[in-house]
Amino acid sequence: METVRFEDLGLRPQILRAVTEMGFEAASPIQARAIPLLMEGKDVIGQAQTGTGKTAAFGIPLLEKIDPKNRKLQALVLCPTRELAIQVADEMRRLCRFMHGIKILPIYGGQDIGKQIRSLKGGIQLVIGTPGRVMDHMRRHTLKFDELHTIVLDEADEMLNMGFREDIETILKDVPEERQTVLFSATMPKPILDITKNYQKDAELVKVVKKELTVRNIDQYYYEVKEKNKQEVLSRLLDMYNPKLSLVFCNTKRRVDELTTALQGRGYFAEGLHGDMKQSQRDRVMNSFRNGKTEILIATDVAARGIDVDDVEAVFNYDLPQDDEFYVHRIGRTGRAGRVGRAFTFIVGKEVYKLKDIQRYCKTKIYAQPIPSLNDVSAIKADKILSGIADVIKNEDLGKMISLIEQRLNEEDYTAMDIAAAFLKQAMGYGEAAQEKPVDFGDTGAEEGMVRLFINIGKKQNVRPGDVLGAIAGESGMPGKLVGTIDMFDKYTFVEVPQDRARDVLMAMDHAKIKGKSINIEPANQR
Ligand code: AMP
């Protein structure tokens, strides 16, 4: 797939600067197709999921068109939910960070309308709103469309699923005839096509054309994680599988830099690779990876193109790729030359839908895996080391070593078991020790040596202390007897766990349910 650079899209320098600061290395495929058409003023139907860079695909051309000197409303983005409206507004604000005088407001149901009206009076050029609330403002004449030149329907299929069809049509009928109408949707059912027929002019369909690609010889797993836990989960997987060479993919240059620093800080032999680096730097990193000095290479999609290393044992999608085809390119770096490779993909929240798309497209199965606990990591590491030892016992002459050990046993008060266990501990390495270092949760009001955790479930939901204890022990693998005081209230519960286990419990319980109910768990507020 050809790389399209933002520099070649003819953007305002302020937007180019924002995109650079956001760490985007190249336009995502949907951006590469949609941005030029939108900048020509065409109506566009974009078929794209969340995670493809769709927001910037319509957002950049929209910002290009907004006149900062005109205080009137110029563009409207309709979104199905409050969360998406806020998310889109955030992304748009990041994109126009270096443009002066652009005011953006998300408006959605549930928020005080008086406050929204006051903000609108201040002169807003771009509104991002849910259809119901936008209609509300139309009725009150607090949103005026006379200077509106662009309207975007984001996640149009979702909006129809939520019953917003009538509202959307009312809004589309009310905005000026002379306008650019943009529609983004993950799917294209008939009602969507009807809207595009009735309300767009000569719309161009933009979707990323896909080649048939297959993935063989690669065991593929995914992990549902929270963004803030990604580093920890990656470290555990690296420790557990201990791949000789691994490739870790991030979506931006900045994320490559951040992760490289973090992994180096945790003692891994990791280096980053991206487009901002000088050729000589890149050569140095690649050489070091080829000869195994660097075990973990962290790269963006673009930078990884030139990598020609055959024995990559594992590929990590630290960020879910923006395009299905990227997934195939990325994981195709492992499992070469008849070897079996492994691919691990992290997904956060709604990205699970994008993952389904990838599986459908690649005709492959990506299996869900629980996040390994520290116990799992240790057990697997120990197992690996001990299997290696079996070979040594079988194939090597150990006579001299045995006499050295015997000598020690006579001199000291050790058993052979003590010595073997100590060697095992040493062989398991320092990474382990570093990871077991307890995190300081501050004073959570717990007993000495314990951390008090808050769970948003209580007696009213028919939950008993035994259920909480069972869930914690079951999910984290920690013996139930280590769980401390459980204080249960109507709607929430406090439970104490040992300090050195708290992080593990928090991670294990991240997506857990208690008695079938999803829960949220966090350290109790500090005193
Ligand atoms: P979206 O599909 O709009 O939900 O975007 C998903 C994520 O990708 C957001 O965090 C964007 O900031 C990010 N993103 C958008 N365009 C690019 C790009 N060209 N390169 C890297 N990341 C991007």
Side-chain angles (χ1 to χ4, degrees), residues 4 6 19 22-31 48-58 60 84 87-88 91 94-95 154-155 250-253 301 320 322 351 354:
V4 173
F6 284 103
V19 165
M22 285 160 91
F24 299 178
E25 181 147 65
S28 71
I30 198 79
Q31 291 165 354
Q49 285 268 11
T50 307
T52 52
K54 70 179 168 68
T55 314
F58 65 73
I60 290 173
L84 188 63
Q87 211 176 302
V88 170
E91 178 95 342
R94 280 193 290 270
L95 287 168
D154 189 16
E155 301 200 355
C250 296
N251 284 354
T252 66
K253 294 182 274 197
D301 292 284
L320 191 64
Q322 288 177 319
E351 288 178 347
K354 183 119 202 309

Side-chain angles (χ1 to χ4, degrees), residues 272-400:
L273 194 72
H274 60 61
D276 277 358
M277 293 162 59
K278 286 203 227 73
Q279 189 58 41
S280 57
Q281 261 177 315
R282 283 156 60 146
D283 290 346
R284 184 188 58 74
V285 170
M286 275 316 299
N287 278 336
S288 166
F289 188 55
R290 240 179 248 120
N291 65 31
K293 239 195 271 158
T294 294
E295 297 173 343
I296 304 161
L297 188 64
I298 305 161
T300 55
D301 292 284
V302 178
R305 284 204 188 150
I307 299 176
D308 55 341
V309 178
D310 264 345
D311 37 9
V312 173
E313 284 181 21
V315 168
F316 294 88
N317 293 307
Y318 191 75
D319 294 326
L320 191 64
Q322 288 177 319
D323 186 82
D324 304 346
E325 210 172 311
F326 285 1
Y327 179 82
V328 181
H329 284 308
R330 286 181 178 187
I331 74 165
R333 307 304 176 133
T334 180
R336 288 191 177 179
R339 296 190 189 89
V340 174
R342 287 196 174 100
F344 304 95
T345 300
F346 293 174
I347 59 164
V348 182
K350 271 171 82 181
E351 288 178 347
V352 69
Y353 299 110
K354 183 119 202 309
L355 193 80
K356 284 200 179 129
D357 259 15
I358 293 177
Q359 299 193 53
R360 212 174 311 125
Y361 161 59
C362 306
K363 299 191 189 61
T364 187
K365 183 98 188 101
I366 309 174
Y367 296 94
Q369 285 279 25
I371 293 170
S373 70
L374 285 180
N375 281 342
D376 297 338
V377 178
S378 305
I380 290 195
K381 252 179 127 172
D383 200 48
K384 263 200 166 155
I385 294 167
L386 292 173
S387 325
I389 295 279
D391 286 343
V392 179
I393 295 175
K394 210 163 108 200
N395 302 325
E396 303 285 328
D397 175 7
L398 296 176
K400 181 125 191 266

Side-chain angles (χ1 to χ4, degrees), residues 55-115:
T55 314
F58 65 73
I60 290 173
L62 197 151
L63 290 172
E64 287 286 333
K65 262 175 90 180
I66 289 185
D67 173 7
K69 292 197 201 85
N70 180 352
R71 315 295 312 155
K72 294 262 184 68
L73 181 67
Q74 297 172 49
L76 173 67
V77 179
L78 292 177
C79 292
T81 61
R82 159 205 158 112
E83 288 73 28
L84 188 63
I86 294 173
Q87 211 176 302
V88 170
D90 285 346
E91 178 95 342
M92 298 299 286
R93 285 200 182 105
R94 280 193 290 270
L95 287 168
C96 70
R97 236 176 84 204
F98 301 106
M99 288 172 72
H100 290 295
I102 298 225
K103 283 192 151 181
I104 299 175
L105 185 70
I107 58 173
Y108 42 81
Q111 196 189 34
D112 175 22
I113 197 154
K115 220 168 103 186

